[in-house]
Amino acid sequence: GSKWSYIGPDGEKAWPKKYPFCGGVFQSPIDFHKDILQYDSNLLPLEFIGYNVPSTDQFTLTNNGHSVKMYLSPTMYIRNLPFEYTASQLHLHWGNRNKSEGSEHTIGGKHFAAELHIVHYNSEKYPDITAAMDKADGLAVLAILLEIGPFNPTYEKIFRHFRNVKYKDQMAQVPGFNIQELLPDRLDEYYRYEGSLTTPPCYPSVLWTVFRHPVKISQEQLRALETAMYCTESDDPEPLEMVDNFRHVQKFDERLVFISFHE
Ligand SMILES: NS(=O)(=O)c1c(F)c(F)c(S(=O)(=O)CCO)c(N[C@H]2CCCc3ccccc32)c1F
Ligand SMILES: [Zn+2]
């Protein structure tokens, strides 16, 4: 079973003992700071196909004890990457109610309040995510940084179900909506680098696209994210709050992050 956590004896410093890749190369997340950034004019805006899912369809939202994740439709995919990548799931990382700095990637050493990840796998080369997830060209993850601002009705389409997935292994059905509305407006401005899963097994198999511009959600929505879920099952006598489920930034030596924008 996935016996790892973000705190205590099974926390991130202990991950490499059970999951050797977590102590290996190309680890994510990282900090984006100016002396590792290089402009690349070949970085085109991503194209999202099938992201506008009708409300007659449903996504399954579940609490897996590490995050809250929503399974996506296999009809959703991205073009303009080296291969076609098909959507698998989205999930979030966040902090706690006293410290709303739970993003995984940082910019100039600054954490954002939270981070949304949309996980895709290379469907041109691999039959499913299980076959793809340990291959160097297997996965592509989109990262959207979240910060405090006005109420966000699109994020609320997911957040309003949190009360039904409070405990590990609980599930809820979310009516389909346009997943592209979760992304920032400027899809042409992003950071691009080769990295890894940020949770065990930490395979160095992820082509990361981190959008430059954060998306805003309200203080109340962020508070709901930070206080709604537990890592433990509903009948556990010692409930553990699901907070601070972000990995700290990793060493990024001798490597570059490519940017699609001029600073
Ligand atoms: N930050 S991250 O690196 O994007 C990231 C997470 F943080 C994260 F928690 C998950 S998880 O919820 O599946 C729990 C831990 O595997 C994933 N899962 C991926 C990779 C692992 C296996 C798998 C299988 C099917 C679908 C997705 C995934 C993950 F990719
Ligand atoms: Zn993630």
Side-chain angles (χ1 to χ4, degrees), residues 64 69 88-89 91 93 104 117 119 129 133 197-200:
N64 67 0
K69 68 179 180 182
S88 176
Q89 52 112 294
H91 61 269
H93 301 269
E104 295 211 301
H117 288 159
V119 183
I129 190 158
M133 69 186 193
L197 297 175
T198 68
T199 61

Side-chain angles (χ1 to χ4, degrees), residues 31-259:
D31 178 51
F32 300 132
H33 50 276
K34 64 182 178 344
D35 49 2
I36 57 156
L37 303 180
Q38 177 172 303
Y39 174 68
D40 177 348
S41 59
N42 299 317
L43 294 177
L44 301 170
L46 298 186
E47 262 187 273
F48 301 97
I49 318 293
Y51 263 49
N52 190 354
V53 177
S55 57
T56 46
D57 285 10
Q58 294 199 317
F59 299 119
T60 299
L61 184 73
T62 183
N63 173 335
N64 67 0
H66 304 295
S67 180
V68 58
K69 68 179 180 182
M70 190 165 89
Y71 291 101
L72 299 169
S73 316
T75 54
M76 294 170 54
Y77 62 95
I78 309 178
R79 269 208 300 244
N80 276 345
L81 285 176
F83 298 98
E84 180 189 279
Y85 285 84
T86 295
S88 176
Q89 52 112 294
L90 61 77
H91 61 269
L92 293 122
H93 301 269
W94 60 88
N96 67 74
R97 74 182 82 179
N98 301 319
K99 192 171 183 200
S100 298
E101 296 174 3
S103 69
E104 295 211 301
H105 291 91
T106 56
I107 300 179
K110 173 186 181 285
H111 273 273
F112 287 78
E115 190 166 329
L116 173 75
H117 288 159
I118 310 180
V119 183
H120 300 72
Y121 72 93
N122 181 339
S123 43
E124 259 183 64
K125 287 183 70 173
Y126 308 106
D128 55 39
I129 190 158
T130 308
M133 69 186 193
D134 63 346
K135 310 296 188 299
D137 57 1
L139 301 180
V141 181
L142 309 181
I144 296 96
L145 299 163
L146 301 183
E147 67 181 4
I148 293 170
F151 176 79
N152 189 313
T154 306
Y155 276 76
E156 193 60 17
K157 291 175 180 178
I158 299 171
F159 286 30
R160 55 191 279 268
H161 297 279
F162 285 163
R163 63 180 68 92
N164 299 322
V165 290
K166 288 189 79 60
Y167 300 100
K168 186 172 184 295
D169 299 334
Q170 290 186 332
M171 301 167 89
Q173 294 306 315
V174 178
F177 64 94
N178 187 356
I179 298 292
Q180 190 167 330
E181 287 176 13
L182 295 170
L183 307 182
D185 297 337
R186 298 295 304 271
L187 298 176
D188 57 325
E189 298 201 346
Y190 54 83
Y191 302 85
R192 166 68 47 75
Y193 76 100
E194 307 255 341
S196 75
L197 297 175
T198 68
T199 61
C202 305
Y203 294 132
S205 61
V206 180
L207 184 65
W208 281 97
T209 299
V210 180
F211 289 104
R212 180 189 194 184
H213 300 283
V215 165
K216 293 182 186 328
I217 61 173
S218 70
Q219 177 62 53
E220 292 72 24
Q221 287 178 300
L222 185 61
R223 172 62 60 89
L225 178 62
E226 293 165 344
T227 59
M229 265 90 47
Y230 288 85
C231 304
T232 43
E233 294 176 352
S234 57
D235 60 356
D236 195 314
E238 293 173 18
L240 266 176
E241 289 183 327
M242 188 182 285
V243 291
D244 301 323
N245 61 346
F246 61 95
R247 189 186 195 183
H248 289 84
V249 294
Q250 306 294 302
K251 287 196 183 0
F252 190 75
D253 306 324
E254 330 274 314
R255 290 170 60 203
L256 290 176
V257 170
F258 299 99
I259 51 177

